[in-house]
Amino acid sequence: MTVVFGGVAPHPPIIVPAVGGRSLPRVQKTVDAMRAWAKACLEQDPETVIIISPHGPVFQDAIAVTAFPRLKGDLARFNAPEVKADVENDLPLVSSIIAQAKRRGVSVAVIDESLAKRFSIEQELDHGTMVPFYFLREAGFSGKVVPIAMALLPREELFRFGIALREAIDESPRRVALIASSDLSHRLTEDAPAGQAFDKAIERAFGLWELDDLLNIDESLCEKAGECGYRSLLMMAGAFDRPGTKSRIYSYEGPFGVGYLVGSVTGGEEAGEGTVMGEGRLSRYIQERRAQIEKSRAGESVIVRFARQTLEAHVCKKPLPPIPAELADADPAGVFVSIKRQGRLRGCIGTISPTQESLGEEIRQNAISAGTEDRRFFPVEEDELDELVYSVDVLMPEEPVASMKDLDPQRYGVIVRSGRQQGLLLPMLDGVDTAEEQVSIARQKAGIPAGKDVALSRFEVVRYR
């Protein structure tokens, strides 16, 4: 068959009448749009609906596809236990999705009893799935549902997974709708302009169906906007990268500081024999990004070049590069090495005060640690090295401060201490705009609960790129 309808749907439970109650009039525009959207979907007579949610089991390195035969969920945690679902999964389609994704080199985690137990994954449908499903069922949908969770994979892999979805759907005998469950910015306030900028960029790219613009939204803007569901949208978009595709925006609003966009995608020409729609766009995207990285590396500092070459040699099991003379002779200092891939953190480890005899040795040790010992990530692998971007912060001596008024997240890093617990946050980080946010994150890193007294110190850095 073919994908008969594509959609983007917000998922705040408050738009479900049983949850929203007296607050429902504040989101009436979205409620009305969702009902029109669901009606349009049902007019295409889908037998199966795939819903991609950002609130399912999200993995760093794989897309989670649920393989339970029966799917259940409710909105009890939002005081509406009567809003529930008990539906059948489309297991043949699930098997085809997994096969097509693997054929395209996209990692998939199959959520079955074994994996759910291993990672303590709840078997209930999350609200990112339940809310769009509520409106589809209200409109008369009675078919099967395939829940998929977005992943923190590189953008091209998410988009390529969308291509795999399209190919799996084309093989299915069923009529299939594909839904991206996606709230937009969670920071639609006057003092956080990034939220409005992000939502406008998404609304424009979706409304014109400009997929290059959608793929290239700046990662720092995503972080500052506190978005929810951009990756779900990228996954859905990959399935509709075909000439003649038409998009429609039913509504957009942000009454509670969160952006709600309701939209649909339909049509598109079938690919010719041997043609894979979307792969040409991805090739251009990858080439442009690598050209930017090469340009950046051509101008990188001695310190950053040494950190990068050190990790590359370590990962490739080659002799480590010699320490440059200017770093071997430099006074020791605390150093943090940060690594990003496609704008997202890939590793960051450092030392508050020096542990080695020279600055060069400190950089060498922390470059290797950032790439291989940051417990939040798997160790960097050789096939990633060309995609990585580095920065190195050399720390100045810390100084204690009396209050939050002495902090400035754009100028100073912060250290919070309580007994043996301590947490550090570097300055000039995307999405950290206030001293309160800076201290809160540092507390979380240290495991210090909010409200517990802490000693504060600040420090300046020299950042090298």
Side-chain angles (χ1 to χ4, degrees):
M1 263 299 179
T2 186
V3 58
V4 296
F5 182 89
V8 56
H11 51 249
I14 199 170
I15 66 176
V16 175
V19 177
R22 294 180 180 179
S23 297
L24 203 63
R26 295 185 63 183
V27 288
Q28 194 63 51
K29 182 179 179 180
T30 298
V31 173
D32 293 343
M34 283 295 293
R35 284 174 171 156
W37 171 93
K39 180 181 177 182
C41 179
L42 267 292
E43 286 174 352
Q44 301 303 317
D45 195 26
E47 299 166 274
T48 295
V49 172
I50 300 171
I51 302 178
I52 305 171
S53 171
H55 294 290
V58 176
F59 290 95
Q60 184 79 30
D61 60 337
I63 294 168
V65 180
T66 296
F68 297 120
R70 200 81 194 169
L71 306 165
K72 297 181 180 181
D74 58 49
L75 294 180
R77 69 182 64 183
F78 301 99
N79 299 315
E82 68 274 23
V83 179
K84 60 181 67 175
D86 185 348
V87 295
E88 186 180 351
N89 201 341
D90 190 337
L91 293 183
L93 180 56
V94 166
S95 296
S96 184
I97 290 169
I98 293 166
Q100 291 292 350
K102 290 182 177 179
R103 187 173 72 86
R104 295 208 160 273
V106 181
S107 298
V108 171
V110 182
I111 307 301
D112 54 15
E113 293 283 352
S114 175
L115 202 66
K117 183 176 181 180
R118 177 183 173 189
F119 290 101
S120 301
I121 296 171
E122 293 184 6
Q123 297 186 23
E124 299 287 311
L125 295 174
D126 64 271
H127 73 274
T129 302
M130 284 292 301
V131 173
F133 177 73
Y134 167 85
F135 285 93
L136 291 170
R137 186 175 59 182
E138 182 187 61
F141 178 70
S142 59
K144 300 182 179 184
V145 174
V146 175
I148 295 176
M150 69 139 194
L152 301 179
L153 289 167
R155 295 182 188 191
E156 65 262 27
E157 292 189 44
L158 299 176
F159 196 88
R160 186 170 283 120
F161 179 77
I163 298 173
L165 280 177
R166 180 82 185 221
E167 292 172 330
I169 292 168
D170 287 346
E171 292 180 349
S172 173
R174 297 179 176 275
R175 297 172 63 83
V176 180
L178 175 58
I179 309 302
S181 179
S182 173
D183 288 349
L184 300 188
S185 171
H186 283 55
R187 297 173 184 164
L188 293 179
T189 58
E190 292 182 1
D191 58 349
Q196 297 178 23
F198 174 82
D199 282 14
K200 286 180 180 178
I202 292 290
E203 187 175 8
R204 180 189 178 280
F206 187 91
L208 298 175
W209 204 236
E210 290 286 355
L211 299 189
D212 286 337
D213 292 347
L214 189 66
L215 268 167
N216 284 290
I217 290 177
D218 186 77
E219 184 65 38
S220 65
L221 181 62
C222 295
E223 291 187 14
K224 290 178 180 178
E227 58 84 17
C228 167
Y230 171 56
R231 288 164 182 78
S232 299
L233 184 53
L234 278 182
M235 293 161 72
M236 187 271 286
F240 284 89
D241 188 6
R242 295 191 172 191
T245 298
K246 295 181 179 180
S247 62
R248 175 185 175 184
I249 293 178
Y250 289 77
S251 72
Y252 170 82
E253 64 176 344
F256 300 107
V258 180
Y260 305 146
L261 175 72
V262 181
S264 65
V265 186
T266 54
E269 300 172 11
E270 294 298 318
E273 183 118 11
T275 301
V276 180
M277 296 292 188
E279 284 293 352
R281 189 184 308 279
L282 286 182
S283 295
R284 293 194 305 273
Y285 170 75
I286 294 168
Q287 289 172 2
E288 289 171 3
R289 188 180 68 246
R290 287 181 176 170
Q292 292 174 352
I293 292 174
E294 289 175 6
K295 182 179 179 180
S296 173
R297 289 185 176 182
E300 66 189 0
S301 63
V302 171
I303 283 180
V304 169
R305 183 179 300 113
F306 174 62
R308 173 176 61 81
Q309 292 176 342
T310 295
L311 180 60
E312 289 174 346
H314 177 83
V315 171
C316 296
K317 297 180 172 57
K318 295 180 179 179
L320 298 181
I323 297 175
E326 57 263 56
L327 301 184
D329 297 335
D331 292 337
V335 167
F336 270 75
V337 176
S338 301
I339 306 169
K340 289 188 174 183
R341 183 182 182 190
Q342 293 193 33
R344 293 188 62 82
L345 189 65
R346 185 63 180 83
C348 179
I349 283 184
T351 44
I352 297 175
S353 56
T355 62
Q356 304 297 314
E357 294 183 357
S358 75
L359 180 61
E361 291 172 316
E362 200 81 27
I363 293 169
R364 180 163 61 189
Q365 172 181 285
N366 292 342
I368 294 172
S369 296
T372 62
E373 297 178 12
D374 190 329
R375 294 181 181 178
R376 296 170 293 181
F377 308 96
F378 289 110
V380 167
E381 297 182 355
E382 188 171 347
D383 62 359
E384 297 180 80
L385 293 174
D386 288 343
E387 295 280 341
L388 303 181
V389 176
Y390 300 72
S391 65
V392 178
D393 289 312
V394 178
L395 278 59
M396 303 295 103
E398 66 175 281
E399 55 180 351
V401 297
S403 71
M404 302 274 275
K405 295 180 180 179
D406 299 315
L407 300 177
D408 177 353
Q410 297 307 310
R411 178 179 178 183
Y412 299 109
V414 68
I415 304 171
V416 299
R417 292 186 176 94
S418 177
R420 294 184 178 182
Q421 295 172 291
Q422 70 174 18
L424 176 147
L425 201 69
L426 296 169
M428 299 175 284
L429 297 181
D430 290 334
V432 181
D433 301 314
T434 68
E436 288 75 16
E437 290 174 326
Q438 190 182 41
V439 170
S440 175
I441 296 171
R443 278 179 176 272
Q444 292 174 27
K445 293 176 71 174
I448 302 171
K452 188 173 183 180
D453 289 340
V454 293
L456 299 174
S457 293
R458 70 185 185 187
F459 60 91
E460 293 186 273
V461 304
V462 179
R463 178 162 295 169
Y464 297 88
R465 298 186 186 276

